[in-house]
Amino acid sequence: MYRSHNCGELNASHINTEVTLAGWVQKSRDKGFMNWVDLRDRYGITQLIFDEGRSEKTVFELAKTLGREFVIQVKGTVIEREAKNKNIPTGDIEILVSSLIILNAAITPPFTIEDETDGGEDIRMKYRYLDIRRNPVKNSLLFRHKVAMEVRKYLSDLDFCEVETPYLIKSTPEGARDFVVPSRMNEGQFYALPQSPQTFKQLLMVGGMDKYFQIVKCFRDEDLRADRQPEFTQIDCEMAFVEQEDILNIFEGLTRHLLKEIKGVEVDKFPRITYDYAMKTYGNDKPDIRFGMKFGELNTVAQHKEFPVFNAAELVVGIAVPGAGNYTRKEIDALIDWVKRPQVGASGMVYAKCNEDGTFKSSVDKFYNQDDLAQWAKITGAVAGDMIFVLSGPANKTRTQLSALRMELATRLGLRKPEEFAPLWVVDFPLLEFDEESGRYHAMHHPFTSPKPEDMHLLETDPGIVRANAYDMVLNGNEIGGGSIRIHDKETQQLMFKYLGFSEAEAKAQFGFLMDAFQFGAPPHGGLAFGLDRLVAILGGQETIRDFIAFPKNNSGRDVMIDAPSAIDTTQLKELHIKLDL
Amino acid sequence: MYRSHNCGELNASHINTEVTLAGWVQKSRDKGFMNWVDLRDRYGITQLIFDEGRSEKTVFELAKTLGREFVIQVKGTVIEREAKNKNIPTGDIEILVSSLIILNAAITPPFTIEDETDGGEDIRMKYRYLDIRRNPVKNSLLFRHKVAMEVRKYLSDLDFCEVETPYLIKSTPEGARDFVVPSRMNEGQFYALPQSPQTFKQLLMVGGMDKYFQIVKCFRDEDLRADRQPEFTQIDCEMAFVEQEDILNIFEGLTRHLLKEIKGVEVDKFPRITYDYAMKTYGNDKPDIRFGMKFGELNTVAQHKEFPVFNAAELVVGIAVPGAGNYTRKEIDALIDWVKRPQVGASGMVYAKCNEDGTFKSSVDKFYNQDDLAQWAKITGAVAGDMIFVLSGPANKTRTQLSALRMELATRLGLRKPEEFAPLWVVDFPLLEFDEESGRYHAMHHPFTSPKPEDMHLLETDPGIVRANAYDMVLNGNEIGGGSIRIHDKETQQLMFKYLGFSEAEAKAQFGFLMDAFQFGAPPHGGLAFGLDRLVAILGGQETIRDFIAFPKNNSGRDVMIDAPSAIDTTQLKELHIKLDL
């Protein structure tokens, strides 16, 4: 036995106990006749004391050789500490060491193993195993485990069965780019790694599994934007004999359970808003509703006046920013510059300040009188002390721009509190979206999503307005889950592929097995998937997912620690029936 | 809501309740004026009754159109059944149907959806989603989920943290063949899919995670023998600051817990035998100890007599087969033919029958008298009514042959009872094994396994006899788990790579990151991995793993249901910087 206790559990009740501990040297303070060492393991820190008067000479001398991150084993007696440390659970005691063994010496780490480290992102990733020793990363991984366990328990208790679906599947051109795996045994053929277990979970429903889930890795070979990973983890779920309402209830229950068990937060029934409402009210299909600043559409009150910019615009839309009424001219100008940056893309911005005395001061006083501005205030919900910011232009673009401004101001005003949780459902997503590049409609969710029966007749005539039984769960401005009721009959599925531009042969080659399956008695079914990486990050109060992934890849898809990907030898290529084409 | 109850939960306490059920038509019996339908879902079967006298005419008529595997929804009243079926939980009641909706019609399935199906392996795999509707497969998947949940709960309660390690890692030539994934963003380079998360779990130990586990998919591109899959699932575990004893105790605890919770079986402390003992006593490093038939080495009593075959042999070894004393001459001859088959490879077999009167009748009476044979009986433990079978030849080969015979006879004698569980540990595996083909030593477990410190000095002089701190858990003749204490210092790891024939440059290129990590204070650590597919199959009392995998691949590594792997188009290849080389 390397240890009788861990470094986080000893306290005053253990005084006079003989213990054996093992761990890492966090730091050591040498006072000449006395030497204190902080011994660290996953569970905490325990103070060791080496005392010239009370310790054996060899032990005392050896302790002086200990460097940071040495791995040691000590035996000793738990004694009361003179200067107690109320900040840690072991702060009342220390170990008077009688025996010391250096299990493994350590060279100096390339960055400090502290909560606030001096190491930059790159070096931390190269030595990720050292980074994991730091509390913020270690605790994120423990937190992730806790969330995953709670998810499994909750779903399992509701009769969901976790089924492992295959990782070596079939490549399909629909959706994102696949990672592929050349087959040695099937010459010239390739497996694909799953972007999601979508078709398999539907086949499990056809197979009568009734309630399925899986916490599963998925893969997308996309150019990596910040905070995207080529491999990511989903909580993937599917249920048979359900309507949208059943699914929303079950997974709202799961999320509420997580918030309560993990964060101690009780939340009300989740608001449900339509995609259409979300876009008009927040300019965004994943609105952060921890704060207001809802959009007010000002066309009726701001157009048909003398201001040509607004008159020419498809949409004039504003938000009331609480407490921003006292922004200086300089601050406002900076904000106008901010919305004009290419990333946002507005051509300008109008503002109106709501004075404490009920009057208004705007940048367009030449065109609008106090009554006009009072109407703006009424529509945007502005009160004294607020600032109204107004953008105008083509409807969709303008909403997106105002949404960016809304989020930016909320961040600046401290309204995006990490420990406040405001979940909601966004429902009634469009079934299709028009893709300018390919000149055709694409499935907004995926081609297995069911159109709303009542919109079905519009598919031929006005496909763009057909709504789907599709829904997203949104938490604090992030889509954390999304899903849909699926098509479960061959005819509708065939029709859908047709509308998406598949030839009959293509549809059959790629998804024939699914449509065949539907012929053998497929139940109505639907489901959703949560992004686990994002979910744990948000529950953990963090903006980025990287610290919640043990060994993440960088933006070029590289693991810089193990140096992957890498070249492989030609014999290996030959066996796989491929050669390089550089 | 598609249903108020499922098809397995209604009983006499629900009589007169109005219910809504949904499911599949298992079968329908049309008696003209009366029509019974068995409605099936994952949870059970409920009988529906359509009665000309009591049902609406349209409903009654529609019921007559129902075929097998139609998906329907019914509303009706729970009534007491006249002819009760005591074999199913719902057997006391039936549903008098008032409303019937066909949710999805079904064409005739290609095989019967019954516990004993008329479908062969190939067609069941092609229509796996229909196969999953059958109880044996469905229950195997539910059973697997239950085992996995218990494993997670048990380990989680012991502070093990499940950490997800990456799937896109680095290819190494050591071990089995890797599946590789061409990188689009890193031209000419490849990821590999993990054969196990071995190095990552060791890095987690260096990172101070202390106790790690993961239920994780692993990949090996090997020619598939029966009952092997290119992707398989491991329960992967690692602990820091442990000795072999700690690991054996923890995972013996896990297995005992599973046997108790899942099977209701209490087992004693697991026997521990050495590799050497296992080979000498059972001819096998994964002995089935549900029965005896231990090997008796007969060299001292059978050699130096007149029988030249035994005199020339390196080893003469026998087993006493209980109750086989009455085998006919014909049966014995058939058995001799069996051991002479190329798959076993013995050149002949000697037998000695233990008569009820204490005398013996052997095939070598010419060379051995009754006293000689009495000694054979003593050494093999044979009693009256047994048959002693003796093989001879080169030691290792002969043991393997006798092991095959021992298992075959145990099967024939019904001694391999699926619901009896006899776990054990095999310890002290050799560190290295000599590979004739490459003319060098290979790591028996893997190159990270620690030699026993007391054998370390033999590495230079007699590497073949160096023992490792490596262990296997064996259950009913199957290796269900295996692991080792790892090397945790750079010098020993470097030495190990040297002994395994790596140049310094190769070792550094492939495992430099691990050896570097050891320099920063690696704790002593070790672990093991269970094969989940095999473990659940054995716990489920089955010989093959296929029904415990939702979507298995065939022996050519194909998924015949989705038809993968498959060709991909040239644009996709071009993006990946590869071309076919057929």
Side-chain angles (χ1 to χ4, degrees):
Chain A
M1 292 278 275
Y2 273 100
R3 60 190 172 192
S4 61
H5 297 78
N6 67 46
C7 294
E9 63 180 314
L10 295 172
N11 56 46
S13 77
H14 298 90
I15 285 170
N16 292 326
T17 312
E18 292 295 310
V19 298
T20 308
L21 296 183
W24 285 264
V25 173
Q26 175 72 24
K27 65 178 174 199
S28 117
R29 277 165 300 144
D30 189 349
K31 296 266 180 184
F33 58 94
M34 208 82 104
N35 190 356
W36 287 274
V37 167
D38 280 354
L39 187 68
R40 186 197 71 230
D41 68 9
R42 172 181 136 190
Y43 311 94
I45 284 184
T46 299
Q47 183 166 294
L48 312 177
I49 179 168
F50 300 86
D51 176 349
E52 192 166 25
R54 289 179 287 173
S55 303
E56 260 193 65
K57 191 169 161 43
T58 51
V59 172
F60 184 73
E61 292 301 325
L62 188 59
K64 285 183 183 289
T65 71
L66 296 177
R68 279 185 184 238
E69 302 303 319
F70 273 43
V71 181
I72 62 171
Q73 183 191 41
V74 296
K75 292 184 202 299
T77 313
V78 182
I79 61 174
E80 189 172 357
R81 205 195 278 197
E82 266 179 47
K84 298 199 171 45
N85 179 349
K86 291 294 169 203
N87 297 323
I88 59 171
T90 63
D92 285 348
I93 57 98
E94 59 193 353
I95 312 297
L96 180 62
V97 178
S98 58
S99 146
L100 166 65
I101 295 170
I102 296 174
L103 296 172
N104 216 342
I107 60 175
T108 309
F111 52 85
T112 55
I113 313 293
E114 307 276 358
D115 291 5
E116 297 291 334
T117 181
D118 58 358
E121 181 82 3
D122 290 352
I123 195 125
R124 285 174 48 212
M125 287 303 140
K126 180 162 170 55
Y127 299 95
R128 182 63 163 177
Y129 45 86
L130 298 179
D131 202 25
I132 290 172
R133 289 188 192 166
R134 296 170 52 241
N135 285 321
V137 181
K138 177 194 76 179
N139 290 336
S140 297
L141 296 178
L142 293 170
F143 184 78
R144 182 187 181 107
H145 168 61
K146 198 175 163 190
V147 173
M149 277 302 290
E150 281 301 329
V151 169
R152 285 196 161 97
K153 273 191 219 163
Y154 187 86
L155 293 176
S156 200
D157 287 348
L158 289 177
D159 276 339
F160 281 82
C161 178
E162 184 161 18
V163 180
E164 294 177 51
T165 53
Y167 278 87
L168 296 172
I169 66 164
K170 185 172 168 167
S171 188
T172 56
E174 190 66 6
R177 210 182 278 106
D178 284 325
F179 281 106
V180 299
V181 180
S183 168
R184 183 177 54 86
M185 284 201 274
N186 300 273
E187 222 169 297
Q189 300 192 327
F190 292 77
Y191 301 99
L193 299 179
Q195 297 184 27
S196 95
Q198 183 62 35
T199 48
F200 290 96
K201 69 176 174 177
Q202 291 193 243
L203 291 173
L204 286 171
M205 294 303 104
V206 177
M209 281 307 291
D210 207 75
K211 292 175 178 175
Y212 145 91
F213 83 102
Q214 188 182 192
I215 299 186
V216 61
K217 273 280 175 75
C218 300
F219 304 85
R220 270 179 214 176
D221 186 12
E222 292 296 286
D223 295 324
L224 299 173
R225 287 182 270 150
D227 220 30
R228 280 269 194 118
Q229 288 283 320
E231 47 177 307
F232 55 96
T233 307
Q234 271 187 197
I235 309 169
D236 192 51
C237 308
E238 197 80 3
M239 304 172 75
F241 299 114
V242 288
E243 292 162 348
Q244 175 169 310
E245 184 65 22
D246 304 304
I247 294 181
L248 300 194
N249 287 335
I250 292 270
F251 294 100
E252 183 168 327
L254 169 63
T255 310
R256 189 178 284 121
H257 174 81
L258 292 178
L259 284 168
K260 192 170 165 205
E261 289 299 313
I262 308 266
K263 302 301 295 182
V265 172
E266 303 254 12
V267 289
D268 287 338
K269 198 163 164 46
F270 294 8
R272 295 185 189 175
I273 63 177
T274 64
Y275 172 85
D276 200 46
Y277 178 86
M279 295 309 287
K280 284 190 176 148
T281 312
Y282 302 102
N284 194 316
D285 62 2
K286 40 179 201 269
D288 190 340
I289 60 167
R290 282 175 293 185
F291 54 93
M293 296 199 244
K294 289 185 187 179
F295 290 9
E297 296 195 0
L298 304 175
N299 288 35
T300 53
V301 297
Q303 288 182 330
H304 314 296
K305 307 274 170 174
E306 304 300 310
F307 187 40
V309 175
F310 281 3
N311 285 344
E314 186 188 357
L315 179 70
V316 182
V317 60
I319 50 172
V321 183
N326 58 1
Y327 273 16
T328 61
R329 181 63 214 227
K330 206 175 146 190
E331 286 174 307
I332 294 169
D333 283 347
L335 215 50
I336 292 172
D337 286 344
W338 189 90
V339 297
K340 287 163 88 172
R341 293 182 322 152
Q343 297 96 316
V344 183
S347 48
M349 182 162 68
V350 164
Y351 62 89
K353 179 177 168 180
C354 307
N355 296 320
E356 294 297 338
D357 63 2
T359 63
F360 301 91
K361 176 79 195 80
S362 83
S363 58
V364 285
D365 281 352
K366 203 158 76 176
F367 307 111
Y368 298 96
N369 62 28
Q370 291 288 313
D371 284 348
D372 292 334
L373 297 174
Q375 283 196 290
W376 292 19
K378 194 175 162 208
I379 290 171
T380 59
V383 297
D386 288 0
M387 181 78 81
I388 302 168
F389 287 113
V390 183
L391 295 178
S392 63
N396 289 348
K397 272 193 187 160
T398 306
R399 287 190 179 112
T400 304
Q401 291 159 1
L402 191 60
S403 172
L405 177 67
R406 177 178 177 268
M407 293 298 270
E408 173 66 17
L409 286 168
T411 303
R412 294 191 189 181
L413 292 164
L415 300 174
R416 307 194 67 193
K417 303 193 182 84
E419 292 300 318
E420 193 179 318
F421 296 96
L424 75 152
W425 288 107
V426 178
V427 300
D428 294 356
F429 272 78
L431 181 70
L432 305 168
E433 59 187 345
F434 194 75
D435 180 56
E436 301 289 347
E437 202 179 317
S438 60
R440 65 171 179 89
Y441 281 99
H442 284 259
M444 191 148 183
H445 188 48
H446 54 51
F448 315 108
T449 298
S450 176
K452 277 184 184 287
E454 61 268 34
D455 290 4
M456 199 78 177
H457 66 282
L458 297 165
L459 261 176
E460 284 281 7
T461 52
D462 199 353
I465 67 161
V466 172
R467 293 165 306 161
N469 276 324
Y471 31 81
D472 277 355
M473 190 189 285
V474 174
L475 180 57
N476 295 2
N478 295 279
E479 180 215 320
I480 57 163
S484 63
I485 297 295
R486 325 298 182 187
I487 295 165
H488 68 278
D489 66 286
K490 184 171 180 170
E491 292 67 33
T492 312
Q493 191 64 66
Q494 267 175 329
L495 214 57
M496 186 56 55
F497 284 127
K498 198 187 110 193
Y499 288 126
L500 293 172
F502 284 65
S503 76
E504 217 170 297
E506 283 167 347
K508 195 177 149 72
Q510 289 166 35
F511 297 107
F513 63 95
L514 184 67
M515 290 188 286
D516 284 350
F518 287 169
Q519 294 186 291
F520 291 104
H525 61 283
L528 91 178
F530 288 92
L532 181 65
D533 307 298
R534 176 75 48 206
L535 177 64
V536 289
I538 296 171
L539 290 176
Q542 302 289 320
E543 286 290 317
T544 58
I545 61 174
R546 206 165 274 194
D547 278 354
F548 293 85
I549 298 171
F551 301 103
K553 294 194 172 51
N554 74 9
N555 284 350
S556 320
R558 293 200 72 80
D559 182 327
V560 294
M561 181 184 70
I562 62 170
D563 193 26
S566 60
I568 61 175
D569 65 35
T570 41
T571 354
Q572 215 172 342
L573 291 174
K574 201 146 200 74
E575 281 191 319
L576 298 170
H577 323 289
I578 56 171
K579 51 188 172 190
L580 296 183
D581 179 21
L582 303 177
Chain B
M1 293 278 275
Y2 272 100
R3 58 191 172 192
S4 61
H5 296 78
N6 67 47
C7 293
E9 63 180 315
L10 294 172
N11 55 45
S13 77
H14 298 91
I15 284 170
N16 292 327
T17 313
E18 292 295 311
V19 298
T20 308
L21 296 182
W24 285 263
V25 173
Q26 175 72 26
K27 64 178 176 201
S28 115
R29 278 165 298 145
D30 188 349
K31 297 265 180 186
F33 58 95
M34 206 83 103
N35 191 355
W36 287 274
V37 168
D38 279 353
L39 187 67
R40 187 196 71 230
D41 67 10
R42 172 181 136 189
Y43 312 94
I45 283 184
T46 299
Q47 182 167 294
L48 312 177
I49 180 168
F50 299 86
D51 176 349
E52 193 166 22
R54 291 179 287 173
S55 303
E56 262 192 62
K57 192 169 162 40
T58 52
V59 171
F60 184 75
E61 292 301 326
L62 187 58
K64 285 183 182 288
T65 70
L66 296 176
R68 281 186 181 237
E69 302 305 318
F70 273 45
V71 181
I72 62 171
Q73 183 192 41
V74 296
K75 293 184 201 299
T77 313
V78 182
I79 61 173
E80 190 172 358
R81 205 196 281 197
E82 265 178 49
K84 298 199 172 43
N85 179 348
K86 292 294 168 203
N87 297 323
I88 59 171
T90 62
D92 285 347
I93 57 97
E94 59 192 352
I95 312 297
L96 179 62
V97 177
S98 58
S99 144
L100 166 65
I101 295 170
I102 296 173
L103 297 172
N104 216 342
I107 61 176
T108 308
F111 52 87
T112 56
I113 312 294
E114 306 276 357
D115 292 4
E116 298 290 333
T117 180
D118 58 358
E121 181 82 2
D122 289 352
I123 195 127
R124 286 174 46 212
M125 288 303 140
K126 180 162 169 56
Y127 300 94
R128 183 63 163 175
Y129 45 87
L130 297 179
D131 202 24
I132 291 173
R133 290 187 192 165
R134 296 171 51 242
N135 285 323
V137 182
K138 176 194 78 180
N139 290 337
S140 296
L141 297 179
L142 292 171
F143 184 78
R144 182 186 181 108
H145 168 62
K146 198 174 161 193
V147 173
M149 276 303 289
E150 281 300 330
V151 169
R152 286 195 160 97
K153 272 192 219 161
Y154 188 85
L155 293 176
S156 200
D157 286 348
L158 289 176
D159 276 339
F160 281 81
C161 178
E162 184 161 18
V163 180
E164 294 177 51
T165 53
Y167 278 87
L168 296 172
I169 66 165
K170 186 173 168 167
S171 189
T172 56
E174 190 66 5
R177 212 183 275 107
D178 284 325
F179 282 106
V180 300
V181 181
S183 168
R184 183 177 54 86
M185 284 201 273
N186 301 272
E187 222 170 296
Q189 300 192 328
F190 292 76
Y191 301 99
L193 300 179
Q195 296 184 27
S196 95
Q198 182 63 33
T199 48
F200 290 97
K201 68 176 174 177
Q202 291 193 244
L203 292 173
L204 286 170
M205 294 304 103
V206 177
M209 281 307 291
D210 207 75
K211 292 175 178 176
Y212 146 91
F213 83 102
Q214 188 182 191
I215 299 186
V216 61
K217 273 280 175 77
C218 301
F219 305 85
R220 273 182 211 172
D221 186 11
E222 292 296 286
D223 294 324
L224 300 173
R225 287 181 271 151
D227 220 29
R228 281 269 194 119
Q229 288 283 319
E231 48 176 306
F232 55 97
T233 307
Q234 272 187 198
I235 308 170
D236 192 49
C237 308
E238 197 80 2
M239 303 172 75
F241 299 114
V242 287
E243 291 162 348
Q244 175 170 310
E245 185 65 24
D246 304 305
I247 294 181
L248 301 195
N249 286 335
I250 292 269
F251 294 100
E252 183 168 328
L254 169 63
T255 310
R256 190 178 283 121
H257 173 82
L258 292 178
L259 284 168
K260 194 172 165 203
E261 289 298 314
I262 308 266
K263 302 300 296 182
V265 171
E266 303 254 11
V267 291
D268 287 337
K269 196 162 166 44
F270 294 9
R272 294 184 190 177
I273 63 177
T274 64
Y275 172 84
D276 201 46
Y277 178 86
M279 295 309 288
K280 285 190 175 147
T281 312
Y282 302 102
N284 193 315
D285 63 0
K286 41 178 204 266
D288 190 339
I289 60 167
R290 281 176 293 186
F291 53 93
M293 295 199 243
K294 289 185 187 179
F295 289 9
E297 297 195 0
L298 304 175
N299 289 36
T300 52
V301 298
Q303 288 183 328
H304 315 296
K305 306 274 171 178
E306 304 299 311
F307 187 41
V309 175
F310 282 4
N311 286 344
E314 187 188 357
L315 179 71
V316 183
V317 61
I319 51 171
V321 183
N326 57 1
Y327 275 17
T328 62
R329 181 63 213 228
K330 204 175 149 191
E331 286 174 308
I332 294 168
D333 283 345
L335 216 49
I336 292 172
D337 286 344
W338 189 89
V339 298
K340 286 164 87 173
R341 294 182 320 151
Q343 297 95 316
V344 182
S347 49
M349 182 162 68
V350 164
Y351 62 88
K353 180 176 168 183
C354 308
N355 295 321
E356 295 296 339
D357 63 2
T359 63
F360 301 92
K361 177 80 196 79
S362 82
S363 57
V364 285
D365 280 352
K366 204 158 69 173
F367 308 111
Y368 298 96
N369 62 28
Q370 291 290 312
D371 284 350
D372 292 333
L373 297 175
Q375 282 195 289
W376 294 17
K378 196 175 159 205
I379 291 171
T380 59
V383 297
D386 287 1
M387 182 78 82
I388 302 168
F389 288 113
V390 183
L391 296 178
S392 62
N396 289 347
K397 273 193 188 159
T398 306
R399 288 190 178 113
T400 304
Q401 291 159 3
L402 191 60
S403 172
L405 177 66
R406 178 179 176 268
M407 294 297 272
E408 174 66 17
L409 285 168
T411 303
R412 294 191 190 180
L413 292 164
L415 301 174
R416 306 195 67 192
K417 304 194 181 83
E419 293 301 317
E420 194 178 317
F421 296 96
L424 75 152
W425 288 107
V426 178
V427 300
D428 294 357
F429 272 78
L431 181 71
L432 305 168
E433 59 186 345
F434 193 76
D435 181 56
E436 301 288 347
E437 201 178 317
S438 59
R440 64 172 180 90
Y441 282 99
H442 284 258
M444 192 148 182
H445 189 48
H446 54 51
F448 315 108
T449 298
S450 176
K452 278 187 183 284
E454 61 268 34
D455 289 4
M456 198 78 177
H457 66 283
L458 297 165
L459 262 176
E460 283 281 7
T461 52
D462 198 355
I465 67 162
V466 172
R467 294 166 304 161
N469 276 323
Y471 32 80
D472 276 356
M473 191 190 284
V474 174
L475 180 57
N476 295 2
N478 295 279
E479 181 215 319
I480 56 163
S484 64
I485 298 295
R486 324 299 182 188
I487 296 164
H488 68 278
D489 65 286
K490 183 171 181 169
E491 292 66 34
T492 312
Q493 191 63 68
Q494 267 176 329
L495 213 57
M496 187 57 55
F497 284 128
K498 198 188 110 193
Y499 288 126
L500 293 172
F502 285 66
S503 75
E504 217 170 297
E506 282 168 348
K508 195 177 148 74
Q510 287 166 36
F511 297 107
F513 63 95
L514 185 67
M515 290 188 286
D516 284 349
F518 286 169
Q519 293 186 289
F520 292 104
H525 61 283
L528 90 179
F530 288 92
L532 181 65
D533 307 299
R534 176 73 50 205
L535 177 64
V536 290
I538 296 171
L539 290 177
Q542 301 289 319
E543 287 289 316
T544 59
I545 61 175
R546 206 164 275 193
D547 277 355
F548 294 85
I549 297 170
F551 301 102
K553 294 194 172 51
N554 74 9
N555 284 349
S556 320
R558 294 200 70 82
D559 182 327
V560 294
M561 180 185 71
I562 63 170
D563 193 26
S566 60
I568 61 176
D569 65 36
T570 42
T571 355
Q572 216 171 341
L573 292 173
K574 205 150 196 71
E575 282 191 319
L576 297 170
H577 322 288
I578 56 171
K579 51 188 171 190
L580 296 184
D581 179 21
L582 303 178

